[in-house]
Amino acid sequence: MITVALAKGALLKDSVARFAAAGLDFAAVLEPGNRQLMVPSACGRARALLVRNADVPVYVAYGQAQLGVVGYDVLREHQLPVAHLVDLGFGGCRMSVAVKATSPYRRAADLPAHCRIASKFTRCAEEYFEALDLPVELIHLAGSVELGPITGMSEAIVDLVATGRTLVENGLIAIEDLFHSTARLVGHPLSLRLDGGELQGIVDQIAAVSSRPAT
């Protein structure tokens, strides 16, 4: 049986639609009353694991799921050994540096050396500021990083930005983007190498749907 790791939350509905196009119906996970974390497909050929976005590549890397859908931001941050298969195109957002709107800084390179940067994505932030040759102190936060500059704990934040509404409502502005992120189909490398064609068929069908122009 094929096991697919699906991220709860914003990516779930579109993820289910892509697998449906490949013949795997996981629509049961979208039912309001569903509390199951492991849900079989309607055809019985596969099952879906409902996990947090950050846990998708963990299940895939350890072979508990052969395929998974996860944001590129998570892949960049955790860098686990999974195969990057298809850019699915949905869930678009950007990883950005943001500061208080009243701050004098309008480029990341303008930030003072050794200033504090709050982020959930400290690996991404570290790589970015190292590339700028700007030494900073990184503060890892698991929750609302916008409070860093608001409280004065940090000069800036590195976080995902979709519409930018949360930043505006908290008096912050994005000044520079690290990279753009979309949902990605990933796979367990060994499972793909040993595949008799079933996994590749699913990947090919999802890739075909994902490459179609939006209507």
Side-chain angles (χ1 to χ4, degrees), residues 1-7 12 15-16 18-20 22 24-26 29 37-41 45-51 55-56 59-60 63-70 88 184-188 199 202-203 206:
M1 178 174 285
I2 296 170
T3 302
V4 176
L6 298 179
L12 185 58
S15 299
V16 168
R18 294 302 166 90
F19 278 98
L24 298 180
D25 182 0
F26 296 122
V29 304
L37 299 177
M38 184 183 294
V39 180
S41 63
R45 290 195 300 131
R47 60 188 177 185
L49 305 180
L50 282 178
V51 301
D55 291 338
V56 169
Y59 281 93
V60 174
Q64 305 309 308
Q66 289 76 53
L67 297 172
V69 176
V70 62
L88 299 172
R184 307 297 170 95
L185 180 67
V186 296
H188 179 240
L199 285 177
I202 294 168
V203 172
I206 291 176

Side-chain angles (χ1 to χ4, degrees), residues 53-54 70-78 93-96 117-129 138-143 145 157-161 178-179 181:
N53 194 28
V70 62
Y72 179 62
D73 54 292
V74 173
L75 297 174
R76 282 282 296 264
E77 178 66 17
H78 298 287
C93 52
R94 63 192 196 274
M95 187 73 70
S96 301
I117 310 291
S119 184
K120 302 182 189 77
F121 302 92
T122 49
R123 186 197 293 264
C124 292
E126 181 179 29
E127 290 178 351
Y128 180 72
F129 285 103
L138 293 170
I139 303 171
H140 185 271
L141 292 177
V145 296
I157 63 172
V158 170
D159 200 19
L160 284 178
V161 177
L178 284 66
F179 56 83
S181 176

Side-chain angles (χ1 to χ4, degrees), residues 19 23 30 53 79 86 101 104 122 124 145 162 165 170-171 189 205 215:
F19 278 98
L30 301 175
N53 194 28
Q79 298 184 15
V86 182
T122 49
C124 292
V145 296
R165 181 178 173 181
N170 287 283
Q205 287 176 291
T215 56

